[in-house]
Amino acid sequence: ITVSPPTLPGGTANAAYSQAITASGGTVAYTFALSTGALPDGLTLSSGGLLSGTPTATGTFNFTIAATDANGFTGATAYSVTINPGQTLTVAVTGTGFGSVTVTGINCPGDCSETFATGTVIELTAMPTAGSTFTGWSDGCTGSGACVVTMNAAQSVSAQFTRQLGSLGITLGGLPAGSSVSVIITGPDSYNSTSALITGTLLTLSSLPTGTYTASAPTTTLAGIRYVPGVASQSPVVNTGVTAGITVTYSSAGPALPYPLSAILFFLLD
């Protein structure tokens, strides 16, 4: 019975290792086991012949793997596997914006480090999310183009993302001159603001993250007159480089009731 492959590839400390062991020349199915020596720390051999795990120690490890076929006949191959010290790549995502950096074994934020064999060449990719811009690398790379690092030593790379910003202008109409109401503005990145609008005055909200906002206007009473907004809720879209604009327009709904309608009905029906 022949156990294959005749040699095994080396590995890297703290990096995943996987190698299938096969057998031929006998009667299937085969069962595999370690017959002499010791596997690298962190690796295990399944009875089906999968040598896998994450080696935790460096050095050269000598061992023999034996295969037994369905009739009890055996064969074995001696192996020598070297586990080399790995080099760790650590990635950070910084800035006011949002995005991700990916490469085999890394998807940052979330999984931001990976160990690679010494000498491995890594090319990192930065992807901004909607509403953000990738503005460049720092630490192990510079500029805003491709980031390529050679893992001859531990490396750290940072990717900076900047949030795109815009402005929103709001005007108030339909109320007597000098009137004021408070409008609730909500939007991306948990933006939440209560802003006072004054008739005839433009309110500009600056440095807003781009995206869709909601402007909610209340019913109000002025000098005994009840006013209602034509549209209780509007959804302006803020884009970078321009000022989005909306107008909150009120109309009169007649005299304000001195008591709640429910109370008036109660007295009338009593």
Side-chain angles (χ1 to χ4, degrees):
I1 294 175
T2 301
V3 176
S4 300
T7 61
L8 292 176
T12 301
N14 301 311
Y17 183 98
S18 182
Q19 175 66 50
I21 309 298
T22 62
S24 60
T27 303
V28 296
Y30 297 96
T31 300
F32 298 86
L34 183 69
S35 60
T36 62
L39 298 176
D41 294 344
L43 297 189
T44 60
L45 175 67
S46 73
S47 60
L50 181 63
L51 179 63
S52 63
T54 301
T56 58
T58 61
T60 299
F61 299 83
N62 300 304
F63 53 89
T64 299
I65 294 177
T68 303
D69 74 355
N71 295 320
F73 294 102
T74 63
T77 296
Y79 294 108
S80 181
V81 172
T82 298
I83 304 298
N84 295 303
Q87 308 297 343
T88 300
L89 174 62
T90 302
V91 174
V93 171
T94 65
T96 59
F98 303 94
S100 63
V101 176
T102 57
V103 72
T104 302
I106 290 178
N107 188 357
C108 186
D111 182 0
C112 295
S113 66
E114 182 70 15
T115 299
F116 297 93
T118 300
T120 302
V121 177
I122 305 296
E123 182 171 352
L124 299 168
T125 301
M127 292 293 295
T129 58
S132 295
T133 302
F134 172 61
T135 50
W137 303 100
S138 59
D139 298 327
C141 285
T142 59
S144 57
C147 173
V148 179
V149 294
T150 300
M151 299 304 297
N152 290 324
Q155 299 272 10
S156 294
V157 174
S158 295
Q160 184 175 40
F161 297 91
T162 301
R163 194 68 165 95
Q164 296 175 351
L165 302 177
S167 301
L168 174 63
I170 310 174
T171 55
L172 176 64
L175 296 179
S179 300
S180 176
V181 295
S182 293
V183 176
I184 298 174
I185 311 294
T186 58
D189 302 351
S190 301
Y191 183 88
N192 190 315
S193 173
T194 300
S195 300
L197 300 182
I198 301 174
T199 303
T201 301
L202 172 65
L203 172 67
T204 301
L205 302 176
S206 303
S207 299
L208 298 179
T210 55
T212 301
Y213 285 75
T214 299
S216 302
T219 297
T220 187
T221 299
L222 299 170
I225 304 298
R226 182 170 175 266
Y227 293 88
V228 296
V231 179
S233 177
Q234 300 186 53
S235 299
V237 178
V238 172
N239 292 307
T240 184
V242 297
T243 299
I246 61 171
T247 298
V248 178
T249 303
Y250 280 82
S251 60
S252 172
L257 296 175
Y259 300 101
L261 181 59
S262 59
I264 294 174
L265 291 175
F266 175 79
F267 286 115
L268 289 175
L269 297 174
D270 187 26

